[in-house]
């Protein structure tokens, strides 16, 4: 066993994995499941999973609202992608949608009920200056007009500094690869773009295997796992859709460890269909599990120590020590943003 | 109003149609109103600028402290109420006419992701 | 340059004196339109044309007052920025 | 959370959790006659919690938290926790409620027809609503008008009426047996006191009304009344709505229907009594 991992977030995970379990929830458990789902951005997902099942009347109303909010998010995300497409069409460079926008554009199960924030796209590195100019010409502007941030992004990050559209208030993140160049892992960005799948309107999405690899890299090799439960749910859905030669492809990108961890945890938390080899969790998975489920029935973040550990780790992953020290020093001097 | 898509109203035949002057506007888009999010104005605050040890130039941009002609950052953030009054033609507390203008320009330039942006957005009416 | 209007069924119209409110379904955005924007959208509905064809179409139905190409281009730019018209 | 409170107000229910006892006791008092959430499951969660652990004891503070939060909101001193609770409930509505078109408005009813008053904070809509309620109108709510997209009806949401500064005295004079919550001195908006909603409006909270007049009041200026054409009313109401855009097509249908069916006036008034008289005159002229 992996130690005590039952929490209110665990209750939500159980219902998502097996919607029939909802039948056993009492009023207090429903309140907890709803609050955790809100806090973890999984309300729309929960609503889709429970569609058609008998639930108490107030829950049914809440789920209907969540479904509608997700439908609105889907529409907005698709429209933003269309605006990006129109802006970049004259360039003729391959534009690959990533994350939530890609899931809804390709009609994947991971997109059902999903909240979608920014519009993430991947373009060839050499196309970056033209893409940047085209977006700015079409009404996007820098979200952070700050010299340090700009220099930092351009030098050390895998994306342009975020751009926001002045009329629609929506952010676009332009990536040229899926992990920062400073990270110790260097995925094969050219292969990601070359093997992307066309959607028919000129836009692309990653190949099935690369979608899983990107989601796993994002979850385990990049951030501090905040919002991680939602990301792990994405992975569970993507695994269900199937991907040929996933392990070989993951190894090609140097992300074999992250992808196998993703498979083990997606199985453990959400009952994802994975090969037998990944049905047994490892001792090293335990802290991830603790972090992913660190939420109580009032929607509060719990397990402060674990959270702090992953926060420090996220910086460690992104940067060599000397650069990290410099980054933290500059951030600290500037004070909290 | 019905829920069904409808054809645009058919213009009367040979009606006079004006194109409007260059520079005039014929399209106003309704934006989400965080404004009136009851009470949000009450307690939010905006630091000017959103980092220590920087100053605000006359055009509202953030510049290093000590830049000639720039105004030092304010020690205590402004409250939503103070900013709201100033945007309506009043003055931020403890400012001169010039520094008030510079700070307000800074606030108007706040973007999503910056400290104080949500507060500022909640003070804003949508364009229109 | 050619211009394409929104596909059939994409717009809901509600005339509100003295303007026209339209709801654009693909974006979920409401726009308030003043003359001549509704007339331009009506002319482009479900199809595409260039500036001259559009001008000619508008002239069939209306007596054009100050119909310069610059003014029409600017109205089209506005509609394109709002996502109601696509430049091809 | 240690102290808990649940309440249903019209079509919406809340559960409030607090790490302090006092605000929950005050809420129980203000919402004494209200029903509990249906089958014990609330639509929205609100938390009243210390922003930092030591803020429970050292110059205690409370932070507005819950399902929906605004980053950058400043904590309030713990003695204003009741205000924080009311603000947090408003915020859940503003950002989370989707079953009705929400207008930041005070609404009163007479004969099954609703008068909707909307304006920026300071326009005097709460005070006018309280005065009208004292004069026999039924209070539907002073913070949000809930317009049902399918029927166009205004649903009641009769929370305690938040009154500022001199409004408290004005309402007390006009309505001697009004009941109030504790006086909250020195809030960012001055002294605030909550008027307990009249028993009649709580008892009839599930009874909607048909909107009949929209008023845009403006307090403290020379008296004036002018009709507001539908296009202007539409824009003003999108500005007064916290969820118009979020509702998408349903919001468009609901709001265009409202401004086409219901006449609107802009009403300037110098003081409460004049304002009330002017409102009654517009109402009688319908």
């Amino acid at each position: 066993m992996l130690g005590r991992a039952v929490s209110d977030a665990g209750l939500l995970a159980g219902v998502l994995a097996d919607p029939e379990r909802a039948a056993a929830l009492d009023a207090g458990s429903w309140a907890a499941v709803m609050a955790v789902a809100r806090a973890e951005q999984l309300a729309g997902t929960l609503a889709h999973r429970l569609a058609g099942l008998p639930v108490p009347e107030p829950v049914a109303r809440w789920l209907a609202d969540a479904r509608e909010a997700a439908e609105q998010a889907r529409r907005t995300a698709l429209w933003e992608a269309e605006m990006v497409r129109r802006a970049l069409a004259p360039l003729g460079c391959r534009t690959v949608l990533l994350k939530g926008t890609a899931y809804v554009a390709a009609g994947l199960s991971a997109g059902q009920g999903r909240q979608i924030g920014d519009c993430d796209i991947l373009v060839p590195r050499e196309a970056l200056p033209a893409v940047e100019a085209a977006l700015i010409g079409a009404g996007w502007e820098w979200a952070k007009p700050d010299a340090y941030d700009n220099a930092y992004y351009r030098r050390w990050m895998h994306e342009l500094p975020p751009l926001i559209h002045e009329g629609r208030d929506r952010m676009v993140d332009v990536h040229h690869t899926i992990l920062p160049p400073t990270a110790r892992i260097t995925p094969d960005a050219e292969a990601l773009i070359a093997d992307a799948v066309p959607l028919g309107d000129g836009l692309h999405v990653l190949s099935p295997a690369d979608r899983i690899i990107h989601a796993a890299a994002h979850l385990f090799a990049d951030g501090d796992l905040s919002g991680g439960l939602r990301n792990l749910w994405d992975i569970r859905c993507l695994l269900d859709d199937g991907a040929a030669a996933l392990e070989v492809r993951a190894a090609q990108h140097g992300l074999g460890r992250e992808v196998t961890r993703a498979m083990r945890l997606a199985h453990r938390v959400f009952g994802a269909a994975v090969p037998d080899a990944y049905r047994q969790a490892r001792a090293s998975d335990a802290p991830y599990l603790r972090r992913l489920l660190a939420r109580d029935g009032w929607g509060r973040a719990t397990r402060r120590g674990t959270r702090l550990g992953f926060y420090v780790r996220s910086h460690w992953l992104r940067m060599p020590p000397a650069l990290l020290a410099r980054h933290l020093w500059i951030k600290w001097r500037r004070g909290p943003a | 109003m019905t829920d069904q898509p409808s054809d645009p109203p058919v213009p009367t035949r040979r009606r006079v149609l004006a194109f409007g002057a260059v520079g005039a506007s014929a399209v106003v888009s309704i934006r989400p109103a965080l404004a009136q999010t009851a009470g949000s104005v009450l307690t939010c605050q905006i630091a000017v600028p959103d980092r220590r040890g920087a100053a605000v130039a006359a055009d509202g941009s953030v510049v290093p402290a000590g830049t000639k002609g720039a105004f030092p950052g304010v020690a205590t953030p402004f409250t939503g109420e103070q900013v709201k009054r100033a945007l309506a033609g009043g003055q931020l507390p403890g400012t001169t006419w010039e520094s008030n203008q510079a700070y307000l320009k800074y606030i108007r330039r706040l973007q999503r992701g910056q400290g104080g942006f949500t507060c500022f957005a909640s003070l804003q009416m949508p364009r229109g | 340059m050619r211009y394409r209007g929104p596909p059939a069924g994409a717009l809901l119209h509600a005339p509100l004196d003295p303007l026209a409110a339209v709801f654009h379904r693909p974006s979920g955005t409401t726009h308030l339109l003043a003359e001549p924007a509704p007339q331009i959208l009506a002319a482009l509905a479900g199809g595409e044309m260039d500036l001259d064809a559009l001008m000619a179409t508008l002239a069939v139905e209306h007596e054009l007052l100050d119909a310069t190409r610059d003014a029409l281009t600017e109205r089209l730019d506005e509609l394109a920025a709002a996502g109601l018209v696509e430049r091809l | 959370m240690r102290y808990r409170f649940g309440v249903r107000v019209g079509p919406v229910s809340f559960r409030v959790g607090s790490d302090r006892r006092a605000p929950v006791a005050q809420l129980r008092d203000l919402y004494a006659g209200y029903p509990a959430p249906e089958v014990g499951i609330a639509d929205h969660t609100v938390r009243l919690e210390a922003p930092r652990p030591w803020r429970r004891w050292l110059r205690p503070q409370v932070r507005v938290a819950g399902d929906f939060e605004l980053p950058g909101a400043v904590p309030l001193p713990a003695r204003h926790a009741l205000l924080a609770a009311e603000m947090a409930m408003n915020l859940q509505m503003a950002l989370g409620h989707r079953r009705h078109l929400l207008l930041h408005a005070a609404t009163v009813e007479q004969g099954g027809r609703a008068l909707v008053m909307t304006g920026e904070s300071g326009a005097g809509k709460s005070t006018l609503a309280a005065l009208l309620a004292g004069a026999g109108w039924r209070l539907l709510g002073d913070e949000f008008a809930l317009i049902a997209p399918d029927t166009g009806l205004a649903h009641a949401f009769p929370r305690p009426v938040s009154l500022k500064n001199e409004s408290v005295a004005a309402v007390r004079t006009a309505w001697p047996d009004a009941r109030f919550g504790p006086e909250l001195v020195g809030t960012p908006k001055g002294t605030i006191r909550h008027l307990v909603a009249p028993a009649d409006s709580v008892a009839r909270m599930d009874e909607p009304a048909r909107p009949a007049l929209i008023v845009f009041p403006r307090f403290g200026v020379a008296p004036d009344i002018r009709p507001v054409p539908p296009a202007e009313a539409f824009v003003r109401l999108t500005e007064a709505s916290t969820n118009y855009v979020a509702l998408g097509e349903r919001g468009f249908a609901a709001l265009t229907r409202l401004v086409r069916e219901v006449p609107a006036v802009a009403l300037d008034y110098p003081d409460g009594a004049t304002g009330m008289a002017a409102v009654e005159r517009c109402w009688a002229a319908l």
Side-chain angles (χ1 to χ4, degrees), chain A residues 117-118 141-146 149 164-171 332-337, chain B residues 29-32 47 50-54 61-62 106 109-117 127:
Chain A
D118 304 340
E141 19 185 74
W142 297 119
K144 299 181 180 182
D146 181 89
D149 276 331
I164 190 166
H165 192 273
E166 49 92 15
R168 295 188 303 276
D169 291 334
R170 302 279 301 180
M171 201 105 85
W332 178 80
R333 277 197 19 182
R334 278 183 12 179
Chain B
S29 304
I30 304 292
R31 312 228 287 182
D50 68 345
R51 67 205 51 158
R52 285 191 287 262
S61 60
V62 180
Y106 168 80
R109 285 167 59 148
L110 281 175
Q111 299 276 14
R112 206 170 89 178
Q114 274 183 286
F117 171 74
R127 277 179 209 172

Side-chain angles (χ1 to χ4, degrees), chain D residues 106-164:
Chain D
T107 315
V108 292
E109 178 259 9
Q110 213 175 59
R113 298 191 307 157
L115 163 68
V116 179
M117 295 176 284
T118 179
E120 280 188 74
S121 149
K125 58 189 177 348
S126 290
T127 312
L128 272 180
L131 293 173
L132 289 165
W137 293 65
R138 172 165 70 110
L139 179 74
L140 294 189
D142 92 305
E143 188 71 43
F144 290 116
L146 280 56
I147 309 293
D150 48 347
T151 60
L153 293 176
H155 284 256
F157 187 59
R159 303 249 306 283
V161 180
S162 148
L163 294 173
K164 277 159 262 164

Side-chain angles (χ1 to χ4, degrees), chain A residues 75 79 85-86, chain C residues 24-25 27 86:
Chain A
R75 197 179 275 240
W79 180 250
R85 185 194 67 76
R86 288 184 190 178
Chain C
H24 182 234
R25 284 177 153 165
S27 62
E86 185 183 358

Side-chain angles (χ1 to χ4, degrees), chain C residues 12-19 21-23 25 28 30 32, chain D residues 229-232 234-235 244-245 248-250 252 256 259-260:
Chain C
L12 294 175
H13 295 264
L16 294 179
D17 188 44
L19 302 172
V22 300
F23 183 79
R25 284 177 153 165
T30 303
L32 282 172
Chain D
E232 184 186 339
F234 181 83
V235 174
Y244 170 75
V245 171
E249 202 171 315
R250 290 199 306 141
F252 180 76
T256 48
V259 298
R260 286 158 137 189

Side-chain angles (χ1 to χ4, degrees), chain A residues 12-316:
Chain A
L12 169 69
V15 173
L16 288 174
D18 178 9
E20 299 290 334
R21 286 189 210 175
L25 297 179
D26 59 13
S29 305
W30 270 119
V33 164
M34 287 152 69
V36 176
R38 275 259 178 268
E40 295 289 343
Q41 315 268 17
L42 281 164
T45 306
L46 180 66
H48 266 273
R49 289 294 281 173
L50 296 183
L53 291 174
V55 296
E57 186 50 35
V59 178
R61 283 197 302 260
W62 187 91
L63 293 172
D65 284 357
R67 235 186 323 268
E68 206 188 271
E71 173 52 25
Q72 191 88 1
R74 188 185 74 91
R75 197 179 275 240
T76 309
L78 290 178
W79 180 250
E80 203 56 27
E82 168 63 12
M83 291 290 92
V84 169
R85 185 194 67 76
R86 288 184 190 178
L88 301 186
L91 304 185
C93 83
R94 186 171 276 205
T95 305
V96 184
L97 300 176
L98 300 174
K99 304 184 198 170
T101 308
Y103 305 155
V104 293
L108 304 178
S109 59
Q112 289 197 327
R114 198 184 189 277
Q115 298 248 327
I116 303 165
D118 304 340
C119 180
D120 292 278
I121 60 169
L122 174 71
V123 298
R125 182 164 202 160
E126 61 276 11
L128 276 183
V131 167
E132 182 180 336
L135 290 174
I136 286 174
W140 276 269
E141 19 185 74
W142 297 119
K144 299 181 180 182
D146 181 89
Y148 172 71
D149 276 331
N150 263 303
Y152 166 79
Y153 268 97
R154 280 162 201 278
R155 187 143 172 224
W156 304 116
M157 290 299 285
H158 54 307
E159 56 197 3
L160 290 176
L163 290 155
I164 190 166
H165 192 273
E166 49 92 15
R168 295 188 303 276
D169 291 334
R170 302 279 301 180
M171 201 105 85
V172 60
D173 278 327
V174 183
H175 304 248
H176 59 81
T177 182
I178 53 171
L179 281 178
T182 48
R184 290 158 193 84
I185 303 167
T186 311
D188 185 345
E190 281 178 28
L192 289 170
I193 294 172
D195 294 344
V197 187
L199 286 173
D201 61 355
L203 293 170
H204 286 68
V205 295
L206 293 176
S207 72
D210 283 344
R211 282 173 217 149
I212 297 169
I213 293 162
H214 178 214
H218 182 59
L219 180 54
F220 295 118
D222 197 8
D224 65 356
L225 271 80
S226 53
L229 201 56
R230 203 269 312 269
N231 295 328
L232 191 66
W233 176 259
D234 288 345
I235 291 171
R236 184 240 190 236
C237 295
L238 296 171
L239 285 169
D240 266 14
D241 293 344
L246 176 59
E247 285 114 312
V248 178
R249 184 70 167 181
Q252 182 192 338
H253 289 301
L255 285 158
R257 211 163 53 112
E258 284 70 20
V259 168
T260 53
R261 191 181 306 288
M263 286 197 273
R264 288 195 306 271
L265 283 167
H267 175 71
R268 161 78 199 222
V269 176
F270 293 125
V274 295
D276 286 344
Y278 307 114
R279 287 175 183 251
Q280 198 61 49
R282 300 223 178 133
S284 65
D285 294 337
Y288 294 90
L289 199 57
R290 267 186 67 74
R291 175 62 185 82
L292 287 166
L293 299 176
R295 185 76 65 179
D296 77 6
W298 285 85
R300 287 179 295 186
T302 55
R303 300 171 181 168
R304 295 173 82 102
T306 306
R307 281 174 183 272
L308 179 65
F310 275 95
Y311 175 76
V312 172
R313 171 183 172 273
S314 73
H315 280 84
W316 170 252

